[in-house]
Amino acid sequence: MLSKRNMRIGIFIEELEKLENWECRIIDWIRKNEKIELYVIIQNGLCSGSNVKSELHQSRQLNFPKRNLGELILNTQLAIERKFFFKKINTVNKKSILDFLNTCTIIKVQGNDENRFNCFTVDDLNKIKEYKLDVLLHTGVHKIDTEIGKIAKHGIWSLLHSKNYTDRSGCMGLVELLDKVPAIEVVLHRNKEGSVDHVIDKAFFSPHWSLIKTKDEILEGSVSLLLKNLRILSEGNYVGGKVQENSISLSTVLNLNDVLKYSISFYLAITEKIFKGLNSKLFGANYQRWNLFLGKGDFLNTELSQLKPARPPKDEFWADPFLFHHENKCHVFFETYCYKTKKGKLSCGSIQKGEITNIVDILDLDYHLSYPFIFEEEGEIYLMPETLDNKRLEIYKCLHFPTKWELFTTAFDGEMVADASFYNDKEGQKWLFVNKKEIKNLPLNSELFIYKVDSVKLNTLVPHSQNPVIIDSRIGRNGGAIFNYGDEIFRPSQRNEGSVYGRALNINRIKELTINSYVEENSLIIEPDFHKGLISMHHLHQIDDLFVFDAAFKK
């Protein structure tokens, strides 16, 4: 356990002027945290005032020899992607970060080459030791002399943005894109004992079809992994980690063929997107058109191929369905997305003889709506839709079922939240499961947060001590209401992999839920292979002996 004094942090920074946005976000969080103090900056003297090239400045490019044709092509390709397709993320005032860092103590150390800090003098080590640091953070790419990890109480912490743990100077994400891996692993790594490495925590992110976008999302997304564990440690909870297992390293020295293969795949993807856009505009073609499927009995024991979709009109898709019983009738609430307005609204239909009838629009606002989580509490009916575009969570109270609603309460003002669901456990405690993201440029598929709440009024929200409890695009995003099956509890979630949104549906068994612990395991993955033409499915709701889910056809 940590003492009551503030946690002391040291950071290895190779070049202050070349800090990237994700690094600035880490520093900004540290300076604003009342329980953490940045005590010292350790800077590579070789990078300061010398002609040594900074690999960080090169945005972690490949280890090609100088003037290699492959390096030239890749650098040109990345520059094109940055200039014309994906602008650089900039969410933190870098000048304010530099002003803050210039007020901090800076110790410059020398390495005997440009590839690592490996020559700490006794004086350097003694200077650093005087600060009695709890953690040393390393965000750069040059390797660190692991002996210095013994100086900090909890060692050196590094984010490894690649499956290759031993060499982080390669172009992250490129090998994974070429190999078409479904998710890219990021490891929060700790070295304390000099030669023994530990894995503190892991996160997984879906690769984008663009390398520059993939890198942005990996770097920015990994910030949450580091900050979560720093917060846990600062609150007095031990962060240990398992001894790092041997893994197959991925080569970071790629040949010209690899670079050309990626470049060709990028322009093929661009061409395909242009073609689909024109085809959709001219002929109304839709390439991920969501439909609803109704069924009787238990979803987990149903032959899905026997179900027929409830198809929406040609200019719409239907998704995110929820079932609700009212006055001896069953209704389905869902998102209706209009291709012309490019905005979602909420609709409701009655279920009669296995079909959705009498469909009416129930909530249509100036911003996009989806995920109409509907529930009853103390005789009142409430609706908690996704209102991400309005940057808050909103709950509506029913005045006249099902068409008239009024705003009842809000929470998370100014935050980007989505797909919120309540769960009432056997002890009568109320939990809120919600997905969040820190910055606009990130996808909303990875981070799951849990809060213990007082009531539907949301006057009190107690955050789970492990928030975000999940950072994993494969399982993180909610895919419908939590349900009981037998004596067990299950959480449906989206399986977002590669560049396909909602590619499949997970059924995850909740093994433990307390304010300090959350454990779930994946029990089943339902692939969209039960009907010809399906490419994705991402939402399920089951009540009693009825269930509804959505799935998208490629048109």
Side-chain angles (χ1 to χ4, degrees):
M1 300 288 287
L2 291 178
S3 62
K4 292 184 178 180
R5 69 168 174 81
N6 287 351
M7 189 167 76
R8 298 181 177 185
I9 296 288
I11 303 181
F12 291 102
I13 298 179
E14 298 180 11
E15 294 186 77
L16 294 181
E17 296 293 333
K18 293 172 181 175
L19 287 172
E20 297 183 26
N21 186 77
W22 67 281
E23 295 171 297
C24 290
R25 286 178 57 209
I26 294 171
I27 296 168
D28 190 46
W29 182 85
I30 290 173
R31 71 169 176 169
K32 293 176 179 177
N33 193 299
E34 296 180 352
K35 295 182 179 180
I36 298 177
E37 293 184 51
L38 178 57
Y39 261 59
V40 62
I41 297 169
I42 303 171
Q43 190 172 8
N44 187 354
L46 284 170
C47 290
S48 178
S50 72
N51 293 323
V52 175
K53 274 191 174 182
S54 167
E55 289 172 287
L56 183 61
H57 177 50
Q58 296 178 49
S59 195
R60 292 172 169 78
Q61 294 170 5
L62 297 173
N63 280 337
F64 286 112
K66 291 182 180 179
R67 297 186 179 88
N68 182 284
L69 180 59
E71 180 185 20
L72 176 62
I73 294 174
L74 183 64
N75 289 345
T76 302
Q77 173 62 34
L78 295 180
I80 291 171
E81 292 182 32
R82 179 66 78 197
K83 182 174 180 61
F84 296 104
F85 298 99
F86 302 103
K87 300 299 181 184
K88 197 167 187 177
I89 294 175
N90 184 17
T91 64
V92 180
N93 186 326
K94 186 174 179 179
K95 183 179 182 304
S96 69
I97 296 298
L98 293 177
D99 290 342
F100 165 69
L101 292 178
N102 285 326
T103 66
C104 300
T105 300
I106 298 177
I107 297 176
K108 293 184 179 180
V109 296
Q110 299 289 333
N112 65 1
D113 58 47
E114 61 185 81
N115 293 319
R116 61 185 290 136
F117 293 158
N118 59 358
C119 278
F120 288 102
T121 67
V122 174
D123 288 342
D124 288 336
L125 294 175
N126 287 335
K127 286 180 184 178
I128 300 170
K129 191 173 182 179
E130 290 176 0
Y131 291 97
K132 298 180 179 179
L133 300 175
D134 293 296
V135 176
L136 281 168
L137 297 182
H138 178 220
T139 63
V141 296
H142 290 113
K143 295 178 181 178
I144 299 295
D145 186 344
T146 55
E147 289 299 310
I148 198 173
K150 298 178 180 179
I151 294 177
K153 182 178 180 180
H154 297 280
I156 300 173
W157 286 20
S158 305
L159 284 167
L160 307 185
H161 302 96
S162 172
K163 198 172 183 180
N164 183 347
Y165 295 150
T166 58
D167 185 355
R168 298 182 295 128
S169 61
C171 191
M172 69 177 67
L174 182 52
V175 173
E176 289 88 344
L177 283 182
L178 292 174
D179 289 346
K180 297 182 179 180
V181 300
I184 297 177
E185 179 183 273
V186 174
V187 173
L188 179 56
H189 164 279
R190 175 176 71 101
N191 185 291
K192 182 184 177 184
E193 307 301 332
S195 60
V196 180
D197 295 334
H198 292 80
V199 173
I200 297 174
D201 206 350
K202 293 182 179 181
F204 294 85
F205 302 95
S206 297
H208 193 272
W209 50 269
S210 159
L211 178 57
I212 204 74
K213 184 66 173 177
T214 296
K215 291 170 61 179
D216 285 347
E217 292 183 0
I218 292 172
L219 290 169
E220 297 290 346
S222 66
V223 171
S224 293
L225 182 67
L226 174 61
L227 300 188
K228 165 187 174 176
N229 285 279
L230 282 178
R231 175 184 55 77
I232 291 172
L233 187 62
S234 71
E235 292 172 351
N237 297 309
Y238 176 69
V239 177
K242 298 180 180 179
V243 175
Q244 181 174 294
E245 300 175 355
N246 292 329
S247 62
I248 300 174
S249 295
L250 299 177
S251 173
T252 55
V253 181
L254 302 180
N255 56 43
L256 177 61
N257 288 337
D258 291 318
V259 176
L260 292 176
K261 181 180 177 181
Y262 165 70
S263 298
I264 291 171
S265 71
F266 175 86
Y267 291 106
L268 286 175
I270 288 292
T271 302
E272 181 182 12
K273 290 183 179 300
I274 293 174
F275 172 77
K276 286 181 177 180
L278 290 174
N279 204 19
S280 177
K281 186 175 182 180
L282 297 175
F283 304 106
N286 302 304
Y287 290 89
Q288 196 178 28
R289 191 157 182 256
W290 294 91
N291 297 251
L292 305 185
F293 289 78
L294 292 169
K296 288 185 177 182
D298 295 323
F299 172 80
L300 298 179
N301 295 307
T302 298
E303 179 55 56
L304 301 183
S305 62
Q306 302 302 312
L307 302 179
K308 295 182 179 180
R311 295 188 180 273
K314 292 183 178 180
D315 59 346
E316 297 177 351
F317 73 60
W318 295 345
D320 295 349
F322 286 92
L323 297 169
F324 187 76
H325 285 299
H326 180 70
E327 295 182 349
N328 299 319
K329 292 182 180 180
C330 189
H331 304 266
V332 57
F333 288 72
F334 56 93
E335 170 198 351
T336 294
Y337 182 88
C338 179
Y339 289 108
K340 292 181 180 179
T341 64
K342 300 187 183 301
K343 181 173 70 70
K345 58 185 176 182
L346 303 185
S347 303
C348 173
S350 300
I351 299 177
Q352 298 180 9
K353 297 181 180 181
E355 295 185 353
I356 302 174
T357 62
N358 302 320
I359 297 173
V360 293
D361 294 337
I362 63 165
L363 200 60
D364 189 1
L365 303 176
D366 294 335
Y367 42 90
H368 176 80
L369 299 173
S370 61
Y371 203 86
F373 182 87
I374 184 168
F375 62 100
E376 185 173 357
E377 188 166 303
E378 297 182 353
E380 301 289 350
I381 300 172
Y382 299 93
L383 192 65
M384 183 167 59
E386 179 197 308
T387 52
L388 173 67
D389 287 354
N390 207 31
K391 290 188 178 180
R392 67 179 184 181
L393 177 67
E394 299 176 354
I395 297 180
Y396 291 82
K397 183 178 179 180
C398 185
L399 300 181
H400 184 272
F401 188 88
T403 57
K404 193 171 183 180
W405 304 82
E406 69 173 2
L407 185 63
F408 176 73
T409 191
T410 64
F412 303 107
D413 286 350
E415 297 188 55
M416 289 171 280
V417 298
D419 297 354
S421 300
F422 282 125
Y423 171 67
N424 299 316
D425 65 21
K426 294 180 179 179
E427 286 73 38
Q429 301 177 108
K430 197 175 193 67
W431 302 91
L432 177 69
F433 286 65
V434 63
N435 297 110
K436 298 169 63 175
K437 64 177 181 177
E438 289 296 321
I439 59 177
K440 182 179 179 181
N441 310 70
L442 297 180
L444 192 64
N445 301 330
S446 299
E447 298 184 20
L448 176 66
F449 290 74
I450 299 176
Y451 296 84
K452 186 177 178 181
V453 301
D454 57 338
S455 69
V456 66
K457 294 181 180 179
L458 299 181
N459 290 327
T460 303
L461 293 94
V462 181
H464 196 282
S465 66
Q466 304 293 315
N467 274 343
V469 296
I470 292 175
I471 309 176
D472 190 338
S473 64
R474 302 169 302 172
I475 60 173
R477 187 162 181 175
N478 287 326
I482 295 171
F483 65 95
N484 295 318
Y485 185 74
D487 295 328
E488 297 181 317
I489 308 166
F490 294 92
R491 182 182 72 93
S493 72
Q494 299 180 13
R495 193 166 193 86
N496 292 290
E497 297 175 317
S499 298
V500 180
Y501 168 67
R503 192 197 65 77
L505 179 70
N506 300 299
I507 304 297
N508 309 298
R509 182 167 69 93
I510 297 176
K511 301 175 66 176
E512 185 174 356
L513 172 59
T514 69
I515 197 63
N516 293 313
S517 177
Y518 180 73
V519 180
E520 72 171 34
E521 66 177 10
N522 181 257
S523 297
L524 183 65
I525 301 173
I526 299 98
E527 299 285 348
D529 56 5
F530 51 90
H531 270 295
K532 184 178 180 180
L534 283 178
I535 58 172
S536 49
M537 62 183 299
H538 75 352
H539 185 101
L540 165 70
H541 189 215
Q542 167 120 34
I543 59 173
D544 302 327
D545 64 342
L546 292 174
F547 63 86
V548 62
F549 63 91
D550 61 13
F553 287 90
K554 182 178 182 180
K555 292 289 185 179

